[in-house]
Amino acid sequence: MTSTCFHCREPGIDSMAKRWSSRARPVECSHCGKLSHVLASTSSGITMAGLLIVTVSAIAAGVWHMAPLVLVGLS
């Protein structure tokens, strides 16, 4: 899937590459060759949301597997 370039308005930027881009690592449009990136606040928000999902999932999995042990009295 590709994103629209802000410069040429053509779908020339890989969506995943754009999500991981930053000011230090912009992604190049395959149509016009100009560089583009996601704003720093959006970029870090995506990363933080991903970390939050992984952390909450790990805690939920631990609680899910611990509940039967607590009910039996083995913990």
Side-chain angles (χ1 to χ4, degrees):
M1 183 167 219
T2 57
S3 295
T4 303
C5 175
F6 293 111
H7 304 287
C8 67
R9 306 285 187 233
E10 295 291 328
I13 298 175
D14 182 57
S15 295
M16 204 52 137
K18 179 140 181 151
R19 289 288 176 217
W20 290 104
S21 68
S22 66
R23 288 183 182 154
R25 297 177 308 165
V27 65
E28 185 176 338
C29 175
S30 62
H31 288 282
C32 68
K34 293 187 178 179
L35 300 176
S36 184
H37 65 84
V38 174
L39 296 175
S41 61
T42 307
S43 178
S44 77
I46 293 168
T47 303
M48 293 310 293
L51 288 173
L52 178 65
I53 290 169
V54 169
T55 303
V56 169
S57 298
I59 292 170
V63 169
W64 181 261
H65 291 293
M66 185 60 89
L69 296 177
V70 171
L71 293 175
V72 175
L74 296 176
S75 64

